[in-house]
Amino acid sequence: MEFHEDRYMQAQRPKYDCLLFDLDDTLYPLSTGVATACRINIEDYMVEKLGIERSIIPELGNLLYKNYGTTMAGLRAIGYDFDYDEYHSFVHGRLPYENVKPDPVLRSLLLNLPYRKIIFTNADKVHAAKALSRLGLEDCFEGILCFETLNPIHKSTVSDDEDDIEFVGLSTAQVPLTTTTSSSEIFDIIAHFAQANPSTKLPKTPIVCKPSEAAIEKALKIANINPQRTLFFEDSVRNIQAGKRVGLHTVLVGTSQRVKGADFALESIHNLREALPELWEADRKSEVGYPGKVAVETSVTA
């Protein structure tokens, strides 16, 4: 009898117990102009704070983003050092947050989803909190996995015991990093890719961020999330594909066209109920809210 009861309980158990959401361009649309403003601010930071020639920034920025996940991670990899809080304040401090409007429709959808709901963003905690507040969603999530969660200290080099990050086009190898920004100590990534057969290896970054599989696995461990029972919502195809490789169920947001690695595709996060009706079919308590402001997930060490 117990055996049959166990089978019945397993059949009734919902497929998912956690919903993991990216923030920017996922919970609010690209049309807000926030992403464009952020890119401009990053370019200005590179010129004004790091002394990089503006003429090379389009090509440099593209290579850094393509190979390291974020421009910030790429800048650290090739030898630039800077204060993380100052960088985030410069890049996010001048964003047009007024374009991010309260979203009562999304709020209602989220509050009626009877699962753990967590934000997972490469952005810093100040930006995440501000964006969620503008959306009116600050009490809809259990917590935030953000830049500070995965980068609690300012590291100068990559630890020997850290997992390698896979880069586009080349295998990786450790290259010493410096903490100064002298031009003679900066790795010339543009010249590197201009070579038909580069003789050097790309340096690693000390910054942990998506789409690194190691970064995603670290975030899941910190928040005690089982990837096999989690839906991951993202606007980035490469982040979706990395999430799929670590075992997450994936939802690409911003297009109705599925790509490799995406289990579902939504034109807008507002299409959630139509695309995934099973999320509401689970016989679980609804209206799951969290009092006050969301917490930032942090590591707990023994």
Side-chain angles (χ1 to χ4, degrees):
M1 183 64 179
E2 289 184 6
F3 173 75
H4 292 298
E5 286 181 351
D6 288 344
R7 289 183 61 184
Y8 176 77
M9 290 301 292
Q10 289 174 8
Q12 297 301 304
R13 186 185 184 192
K15 183 176 181 180
Y16 311 109
D17 54 30
C18 183
L19 308 179
L20 190 62
F21 293 89
D22 176 47
L23 174 57
D24 300 304
D25 304 328
T26 297
L27 295 187
Y28 63 86
L30 187 63
S31 60
T32 59
V34 170
T36 299
C38 188
R39 177 180 55 78
I40 293 171
N41 291 346
I42 290 172
E43 292 176 353
D44 287 346
Y45 183 89
M46 293 166 71
V47 172
E48 297 174 24
K49 301 297 184 179
L50 301 181
I52 299 173
E53 289 291 332
R54 189 173 290 277
S55 61
I56 70 168
I57 283 180
E59 183 178 7
L60 176 61
N62 179 61
L63 287 173
L64 296 180
Y65 181 79
K66 179 181 177 181
N67 287 280
Y68 292 97
T70 67
T71 306
M72 181 186 191
L75 287 169
R76 284 301 322 277
I78 65 173
Y80 290 98
D81 199 9
F82 43 85
D83 182 84
Y84 294 164
D85 290 339
E86 179 189 69
Y87 176 90
H88 285 129
S89 178
F90 189 103
V91 169
H92 294 144
R94 302 179 292 174
L95 293 179
Y97 287 107
E98 65 276 8
N99 294 346
V100 180
K101 307 296 185 183
D103 193 337
V105 173
L106 179 55
R107 176 179 172 81
S108 178
L109 286 172
L110 291 171
L111 290 178
N112 281 282
L113 282 167
Y115 308 91
R116 293 181 71 196
K117 295 179 287 289
I118 297 173
I119 294 291
F120 181 22
T121 176
N122 279 338
D124 65 301
K125 60 186 178 183
V126 173
H127 168 74
K130 188 175 293 186
L132 288 173
S133 178
R134 291 290 307 176
L135 287 164
L137 306 178
E138 60 267 41
D139 59 344
C140 293
F141 299 93
E142 176 185 325
I144 301 172
L145 295 160
C146 59
F147 178 84
E148 290 88 349
T149 313
L150 299 183
N151 302 273
I153 60 173
H154 187 112
K155 296 167 61 178
S156 296
T157 59
V158 181
S159 301
D160 291 337
D161 60 352
E162 282 194 346
D163 293 333
D164 288 349
I165 296 175
E166 291 196 11
F167 299 102
V168 176
L170 288 174
S171 59
T172 61
Q174 175 70 36
V175 176
L177 300 178
T178 64
T179 57
T180 65
T181 57
S182 168
S183 59
S184 64
E185 297 168 330
I186 300 300
F187 181 86
D188 191 342
I189 193 171
I190 294 177
H192 173 85
F193 280 104
Q195 300 175 57
N197 296 294
S199 58
T200 56
K201 303 290 186 179
L202 282 177
K204 293 182 181 180
T205 179
I207 288 179
V208 182
C209 62
K210 295 181 287 185
S212 158
E213 292 173 40
I216 298 174
E217 289 174 337
K218 182 177 180 180
L220 297 178
K221 183 177 180 181
I222 288 171
N224 192 27
I225 294 172
N226 177 359
Q228 302 291 341
R229 296 185 50 76
T230 299
L231 263 178
F232 180 40
F233 296 81
E234 256 280 1
D235 67 290
S236 164
V237 170
R238 61 181 181 171
N239 291 352
I240 281 286
Q241 293 173 341
K244 190 64 179 176
R245 288 193 295 270
V246 303
L248 290 160
H249 300 275
T250 54
V251 185
L252 180 63
V253 179
T255 177
S256 59
Q257 301 299 311
R258 283 179 55 194
V259 299
K260 182 180 179 182
D263 297 311
F264 305 93
L266 307 178
E267 186 72 38
S268 164
I269 196 68
H270 289 156
N271 303 132
L272 196 53
R273 188 185 288 272
E274 292 79 12
L276 291 157
E278 62 267 32
L279 291 178
W280 281 266
E281 293 168 2
D283 184 21
R284 300 174 70 173
K285 184 179 179 181
S286 62
E287 289 289 330
V288 179
Y290 303 94
K293 298 180 180 179
V294 293
V296 177
E297 300 281 354
T298 55
S299 302
V300 177
T301 54

